[in-house]
Amino acid sequence: MITKYQNLNLIEQITRLDGTKYYEIANIFMNGRAELAVIRGLLKEVRILQLNIAHSTAVDVYEKYINETYDFPEEDFTEWVEWQKPEGKISDAVKEILKANHIG
């Protein structure tokens, strides 16, 4: 697993295999992993919606949570791990990021 702290700077829309979609605040590294997950049949589609999002307080909150909670996958991953957004501070930060970028 990648252990270096990851800065999040884009918003992508991910389509699960069942056709449902969700938004993720990520970076080019994770977008590449999502694209690889599509190739491997673990996801249906991924699209970048916004590049270079402003590094706001909300992004700081979510970025810290993601870096402390999840491992960033190596290239040989065999399952897609969807980042959970627990109710409260984290969910509110994601909603604020999406709203600030006119998404959702």
Side-chain angles (χ1 to χ4, degrees), residues 5-6 8 24-25 30 60-72 83-85 90:
Y5 191 88
Q6 296 284 318
L8 306 180
E24 191 56 78
I25 292 79
M30 281 305 293
D60 283 339
V61 166
Y62 189 63
E63 185 177 271
K64 183 175 186 225
Y65 160 73
I66 292 301
N67 276 281
E68 290 176 352
T69 307
Y70 294 98
D71 291 324
F72 289 76
W83 295 342
Q84 300 304 305
K85 296 154 187 71
I90 303 306

Side-chain angles (χ1 to χ4, degrees), residues 24 26 34 47 76 78-79 84 88 90-91:
E24 191 56 78
R47 295 183 324 139
D76 62 351
T78 57
E79 68 175 332
Q84 300 304 305
I90 303 306
S91 177

Side-chain angles (χ1 to χ4, degrees), residues 22-45:
Y22 71 98
Y23 299 114
E24 191 56 78
I25 292 79
N27 59 18
I28 290 296
F29 174 84
M30 281 305 293
N31 178 261
R33 291 301 190 250
E35 293 286 352
L36 190 54
V38 170
I39 291 167
R40 292 180 179 165
L42 304 172
L43 294 172
K44 194 172 195 176
E45 181 182 49

Side-chain angles (χ1 to χ4, degrees), residues 12-24 43-47 49 82 85 98:
E12 58 189 3
Q13 180 182 44
I14 295 176
T15 305
R16 300 175 186 99
L17 292 177
D18 66 3
T20 59
K21 299 176 182 189
Y22 71 98
Y23 299 114
E24 191 56 78
L43 294 172
K44 194 172 195 176
E45 181 182 49
V46 62
R47 295 183 324 139
L49 302 178
E82 184 174 332
K85 296 154 187 71
L98 296 176

